[in-house]
Amino acid sequence: MELRRRDYHMERPLLNQEHLEELGRWGSAPRTRQWQTWLQCSRARAYALLLQHLPVLVWLPRYPVRDWLLGDLLSGLSVAIMQLPQGLAYALLAGLPPVFGLYSSFYPVFIYFLFGTSRHISVGTFAVMSVMVGSVTESLAPQALNDSMINETARDAARVQVASTLSVLVGLFQVGLGLIHFGFVVTYLSEPLVRGYTTAAAVQVFVSQLKYVFGLHLSSHSGPLSLIYTVLEVCWKLPQSKVGTVVTAAVAGVVLVVVKLLNDKLQQQLPMPIPGELLTLIGATGISYGMGLKHRFEVDVVGNIPAGLVPPVAPNTQLFSKLVGSAFTIAVVGFAIAISLGKIFALRHAYRVDSNQELVALGLSNLIGGIFQCFPVSCSMSRSLVQESTGGNSQVAGAISSLFILLIIVKLGELFHDLPKAVLAAIIIVNLKGMLRQLSDMRSLWKANRADLLIWLVTFTATILLNLDLGLVVAVIFSLLLVVVRTQMPHYSVLGQVPDTDIYRDVAEYSEAKEVPGVKVFRSSATVYFANAEFYSDALKQRCGVDVDFLISQKKKLLKKQEQLKLKQLQKEEKLQKQAASSKGTSVSINVNTSLEDMRSNNVEDCKMMQVSSGDKMEDATASGQEDSKAPDGSTLKALGLPQPDFHSLILDLGALSFVDTVCLKSLKNIFHDFREIEVEVYMAACHSPVVSQLEAGHFFDASITKKHLFASVHDAVTFALQHPRPVPDSPVSDTRL
């Protein structure tokens, strides 16, 4: 949009903070005590809470059946067709029998239908969550080294108990955090962090499926470097691969890739995607049954899938202490994936997603699902995209998909007895394409923001080397430390005036911006606090082009030298007066001595006054801001033979400050003191009202630094400084030092 030149003129008085408060009638904003509303009890309040925590009561009565039902029906069937093979495959990824993937595709989905606020995300099994669960189940219920001695039934039962207990604990964390409105916790998981983490998780998933692709029996590895150990063991045992298993996985993978390519190419012509995974599942099961792959080629198959639902089982509370760390990590990661995807769809379709209610909904899905022997779930990116693209408009699509899964659990699950596990591994690996393509983030982040690239790389590397739980902890700590480091090294600039405007910009960036003669304007791009206050002061003194500390030290030395010479001169005069007095008599001597004592006393007081002026060894004393107006001419920089700064006023643009702490307050007072010592007056400009309130609360303003030193804008401060080229007399300087 092109701007037409249109001048505007405004006349107003110069405004410092004191005048601005009078003009605008400034007063502190009233505090809102939200906790009081939480404690209110009434029928309306109870009904509002019910609608808030059970959103289905809000949108379902208003559901437009004619407009949305057909789309939701087709979308639900499409998602269910994907949910079936993914549920079976991701259960394998979690180290559990495949039927528990079907349970995890039914209970949590229906619970989310009742409590969720997103209309498009598909809740259920997800690769990242499954591999995190798998690392826990394999560490607490490991596979024996001697495969012939494995009691698979007991091992699977132990892993199911661990996974379901983990799901309950994850649900408790998520519900608890949601009820105390702790949904903002995911703001600490930046997009580069999440993408780096999911990419590393995809690599973990890929490596974990190699044993099914090659038909190998591997030892159980957990903890740091477990991925490296697994890759080395796969390479070591590669000659033991089973040809039938490798061929089965390769054929299934090729079929899945071809179908996905066809879906991408014919996306506009097809009413719904070709269900490649379901067709591969059915075809592989039929071929395995007809050709006897298990007996003839030693291809591992899924085995028995019991029909019907399992009764609820209480979690094993004795495992809570072992699972609490992993449960919190899984709770945060699962919610971060769900809310980020939910907000994308909400923005695209113009509705609102409540992050705290999403946390509660996801927590209830995991909590209730865990009681029915499900493992922790989140939302799937691929299924969510299918749910949206096939016409899904609400979570009715999710309910329909869960009912379809229920039908399979009750009646059709046992038909997949001969399904090869290599086919499920192929389904998992092919579905990793989207997450593995995130490796290209490195190239785009290198061009866009290298700090974000550093977060991505650290997250990816830590997750690969330290496993999923420790990797996330390292990534979050590193990203927060990087924020602190970046605030320690902000951009400092000296500002100049853009010609014929009241706008001030960095003279290094704007060639036409010129410094105002006699005035220095300094700005930092970040707030000043304990971590960067010293850097701020150093950068200010450096950018001003004056060695402030050297001038102050030289001034003190010269003043001290002057005092010593003066004392010697007085002592010499006193000696001469004593000699003259001794020749005139005792009475005269007494008078002379008394006079000399008075002179000496006055001299000592003068010395003390000059020491107060120089600020040496004083804590709470105040001196004159224009001390040279009272002190002898010999105390000025010019009289002492020291170079004078080429500016008489310094203006600190504090518009970037969002808060101040005690270190910042002391640092600002030190700046006032130091620059006044070299005969430069200091002003501040553009402080926000909360910062002004914090300055007042910290007792920053006093007799030496008043609100008259704080101006509404930089231009106000510059104009005032040009009108008063010398520091105002009788303005005491506080000698507070860090």
Side-chain angles (χ1 to χ4, degrees), residues 5 7-9 496-504 512-514 715:
R5 180 180 176 86
D7 296 335
Y8 70 91
H9 303 276
Q497 185 179 20
V498 178
D500 301 324
T501 69
D502 61 348
I503 298 172
Y504 293 80
E512 290 299 318
K514 304 298 180 184
H715 190 64

Side-chain angles (χ1 to χ4, degrees), residues 49 96 158 165 199 215 259 292 439 448 482-483 529 631:
L49 284 174
L96 305 174
T165 303
T199 307
V259 173
L439 288 167
L482 188 61
V483 171
Y529 67 114

